[in-house]
């Protein structure tokens, strides 16, 4: 029986993507070592409603010195995190000598603005390479995994925090109890723990199955986050829906005696109940929808190939590992993936072995079609590549259904 990582009750599996590689393990072309695979499948807890992977990948295999994702690679995300920092500076960090800790600060995309404001901060970031980039921007970084023991060490050295923030990281951490124990040790009595992650409600609506890969262990809802927070002695006191990364929710967690939940919490809880986000019908419908997208996408790519049309992909996202390996898309159906991240260029995408090339090579020559793996950055990327369309090129998207942008 599968059991819930949060509450120990039984978990019902509803979608299985089969054997999958690590989504951010871009390989050197001459690397002959055996690639690591695991079974990527998702279930929902029948008691606390937490949606979760059924197999956990050891954390050091995913997050290490060569972790290739740099958060600052998108203008949209740079702006989003600059605003986030500004908001904290104006609301939560106004007392004397305030202190903010970020779990998973990556290249300092958020904390660099806090540093510039001269406010005390610390990023806890296990991936040494991206952490070094953050340090280069003046950000204080501790190269460790955040967990109970790390949080205590941080408190002993720096004192308690007014804010603990985390973006696109808490959903990466199976050991949530240790995170909450750490938050309890580190957070001031009236402080707030704020985190934002892809929202299960948006994943269901957009059928964005590519949000499911090794690093994304949990798929949160207000319902499941509140249940988890309460079981660890906290409460969910605010929620806010965000438009980034295909739809996220920012959750604010505090000690029950410290803050009163806003109306937004009750509203989102009621909406989730009405939508039935974890009912059998919804979950089985999601799985069926995903299989439909796979069939349609493969049929389109095969058809284009038969017509002699050229297809390349754009954005070597972690998400794309699930798309290519679940659908069986290799260099025969998408010749290369164009991406602006130096750490991914010259490498082969995990599993599919599609070569990753600098974005500049998109124009050498422009293909007939471009499969947009970074669909969450569609506006930014399509605006950046006007000549592709002017040359008759067409973008292919696959969520919420396979379509060619005319
Ligand atoms: O949760 C996570 C999110 C925050 O970031 C991590 N587990 C891993 C990563 O996921 P991802 O790789 O799916 O994230 P993105 O932001 O969708 O990746 C975009 C990719 O596209 C990057 O490799 C950069 C590239 N890109 C590009 O080549 N040109 C992006 C933009 C905006 C561009 O103009
Ligand atoms: N916050 C950034 C980075 C997201 S990528 C953004 O929103 O763009 C996820 C990050 O979480 C990686 O940089 C990874 O190294 C980090 N991470 C994974 N487990 C962690 C842990 N236990 N503590 C702190 N960071 C962690």
């Amino acid at each position: 029986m599968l059991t819930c990582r949060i509450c120990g009750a039984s978990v019902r599996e509803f979608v299985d993507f089969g054997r999958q590689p690590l989504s951010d393990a871009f390989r050197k072309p001459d690397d002959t070592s055996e690639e690591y695979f695991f079974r990527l499948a998702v279930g929902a807890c029948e008691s606390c409603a937490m949606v979760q992977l059924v197999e956990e990948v050891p954390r050091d295999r995913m997050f290490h010195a060569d972790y290739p994702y740099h958060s600052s690679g998108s203008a949209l995300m740079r702006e989003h995190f600059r605003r986030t920092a500004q908001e904290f500076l104006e609301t939560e960090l106004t007392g004397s000598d305030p202190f903010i800790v970020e779990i998973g600060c990556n290249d300092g995309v958020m904390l660099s603005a806090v540093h510039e404001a001269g406010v005390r901060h610390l990023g806890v970031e296990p991936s040494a390479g991206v952490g070094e980039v953050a340090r280069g921007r003046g950000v204080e970084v501790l190269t460790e995994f955040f967990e109970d023991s790390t949080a205590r060490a941080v408190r002993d050295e720096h004192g308690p925090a007014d804010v603990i923030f985390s973006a696109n990281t808490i959903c990466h951490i199976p050991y949530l109890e240790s995170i909450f124990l750490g938050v309890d040790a580190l957070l001031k009595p009236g402080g707030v723990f704020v985190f934002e992650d892809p929202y299960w409600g948006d994943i269901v609506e957009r059928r964005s199955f590519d949000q499911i890969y090794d690093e994304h262990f949990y798929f949160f809802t207000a319902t499941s986050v509140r249940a988890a927070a309460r079981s660890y002695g906290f409460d969910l006191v605010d929620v806010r829906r965000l438009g980034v990364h295909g739809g996220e929710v920012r959750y604010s967690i505090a000690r029950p005696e410290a803050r009163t939940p806003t109306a937004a919490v009750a509203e989102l809880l009621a909406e989730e109940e009405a939508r039935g986000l974890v009912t059998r019908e919804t979950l089985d419908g999601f799985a069926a929808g995903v299989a439909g997208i796979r069939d349609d996408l493969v049929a389109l790519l095969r058809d284009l190939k038969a017509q002699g049309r050229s297809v390349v992909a754009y954005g070597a996202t972690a998400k794309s590992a699930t798309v290519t390996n679940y659908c069986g898309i290799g260099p025969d159906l998408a010749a290369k993936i164009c991406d602006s991240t130096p750490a991914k260029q010259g490498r082969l995408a995990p599993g599919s072995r599609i070569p990753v090339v600098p974005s500049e090579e998109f124009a050498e020559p422009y293909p007939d079609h471009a499969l947009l793996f970074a669909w969450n950055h569609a506006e930014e990327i399509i605006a950046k590549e006007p000549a592709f369309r002017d040359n008759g090129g067409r973008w292919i998207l696959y969520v919420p259904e396979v379509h060619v942008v005319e």
Side-chain angles (χ1 to χ4, degrees):
M1 190 183 82
L2 297 170
T3 52
C4 177
R5 278 301 298 248
I6 305 291
C7 74
S10 74
V11 162
R12 189 180 81 92
E13 184 178 313
F14 60 90
V15 65
D16 181 2
F17 296 95
R19 308 261 303 152
Q20 293 284 334
L22 305 181
S23 60
D24 267 315
F26 293 86
R27 290 159 69 84
K28 291 192 181 136
D30 60 357
D31 185 349
T32 53
S33 65
E34 208 179 312
E35 208 167 350
Y36 179 91
F37 282 86
F38 72 108
R39 187 169 82 90
L40 180 67
V42 192
C45 175
E46 296 186 303
S47 176
C48 75
M50 186 65 86
V51 179
Q52 55 199 281
L53 294 192
V54 304
E55 191 177 321
E56 176 182 343
V57 171
R59 63 187 188 179
D60 326 74
R61 281 192 178 271
M62 300 183 282
F63 310 115
H64 44 67
D66 298 322
Y67 184 68
Y69 182 70
H70 289 239
S71 304
S72 297
S74 139
L76 176 73
M77 296 315 297
R78 289 196 298 275
E79 176 58 17
H80 171 76
F81 286 122
R82 199 194 53 75
R83 277 208 213 125
T84 302
Q86 202 52 42
E87 199 174 320
F88 283 133
L89 290 167
E90 285 166 12
T91 56
E92 301 288 344
L93 301 172
T94 53
S96 85
D97 192 24
F99 180 45
I100 177 169
V101 172
E102 183 177 4
I103 303 173
C105 70
N106 199 273
D107 62 4
V109 67
M110 197 284 286
L111 283 182
S112 52
V114 175
H115 158 71
E116 280 157 27
V119 167
R120 218 151 53 81
H121 63 272
L122 182 70
V124 182
E125 173 51 72
S127 299
V130 289
E132 204 45 51
V133 175
R135 279 194 196 101
R137 293 179 175 162
V139 173
E140 295 287 329
V141 183
L142 176 66
T143 308
E144 294 284 353
F145 285 94
F146 186 93
E147 57 191 340
D148 186 18
S149 55
T150 324
R152 285 170 199 281
V154 170
R155 191 200 152 105
D156 290 348
E157 195 180 335
H158 301 269
D162 298 85
V163 176
I164 300 176
F165 176 69
S166 190
N168 304 299
T169 300
I170 298 303
C171 76
H172 294 55
I173 305 182
Y175 41 100
L176 216 50
E177 183 174 11
S178 179
I179 297 299
F180 272 87
L181 283 169
V183 168
D184 196 25
L186 181 58
L187 195 66
K188 281 188 185 168
V192 66
F193 171 34
V194 179
F195 61 91
E196 58 193 55
D197 283 295
Y199 180 49
W200 180 246
D202 287 312
I203 296 173
V204 166
E205 190 177 323
R206 295 175 193 217
R207 293 196 287 197
S208 43
F209 66 97
D210 55 353
Q211 291 285 13
I212 300 167
Y213 55 89
D214 55 342
E215 296 173 20
H216 285 177
F217 189 84
Y218 291 116
F219 303 91
F220 295 136
T221 57
T223 309
S224 61
V225 166
R226 185 174 71 154
R230 287 186 168 179
S231 75
Y232 303 131
F234 286 84
D235 202 4
L236 176 63
V237 297
D238 195 23
V239 287
R240 189 192 303 175
R241 294 187 74 161
L242 307 170
V244 295
H245 287 310
E248 303 208 317
V249 169
R250 180 178 288 174
Y251 305 93
S252 298
I253 308 284
R255 296 187 173 87
E257 63 281 9
R259 299 189 187 208
T260 310
T262 60
V265 174
E267 280 162 24
L268 192 55
L269 290 169
E271 185 184 317
E272 289 176 357
E273 177 76 27
R275 288 181 64 192
L277 288 182
V278 292
T279 61
R280 268 177 190 249
E281 202 188 348
T282 301
L283 299 178
D284 294 348
F286 173 78
V290 168
I293 292 178
R294 175 193 56 194
D295 296 348
D296 292 349
L297 184 57
V298 172
L300 173 65
L301 295 177
R302 288 207 179 124
D303 192 37
L304 290 170
K305 188 179 175 182
Q307 290 174 35
R309 303 256 172 186
S310 57
V311 180
V312 310
Y314 204 111
T317 56
K319 294 185 286 294
S320 67
T322 300
V323 182
T324 55
N325 293 291
Y326 169 63
C327 300
I329 299 169
D332 54 327
L333 295 181
K336 59 189 180 185
I337 311 177
C338 307
D339 193 286
S340 59
T341 316
K344 297 180 184 177
Q345 296 162 353
R347 305 250 177 161
L348 301 178
S352 69
R353 303 185 69 85
I354 303 175
V356 181
V357 302
S359 341
E360 292 73 27
E361 291 186 26
F362 188 43
E364 298 174 5
Y366 282 119
D368 296 312
H369 286 83
L371 178 56
L372 186 53
F373 284 143
W375 52 266
N376 46 314
H377 303 295
E379 210 177 310
E380 183 175 338
I381 291 174
I382 291 173
K384 210 181 255 181
E385 302 285 1
F388 167 58
R389 280 182 66 97
D390 295 347
N391 276 276
R394 290 289 174 264
W395 293 98
I396 300 171
L397 286 124
Y398 50 88
V399 292
E401 59 201 1
V402 176
H403 59 287
V404 176
V405 183
E406 285 309 327

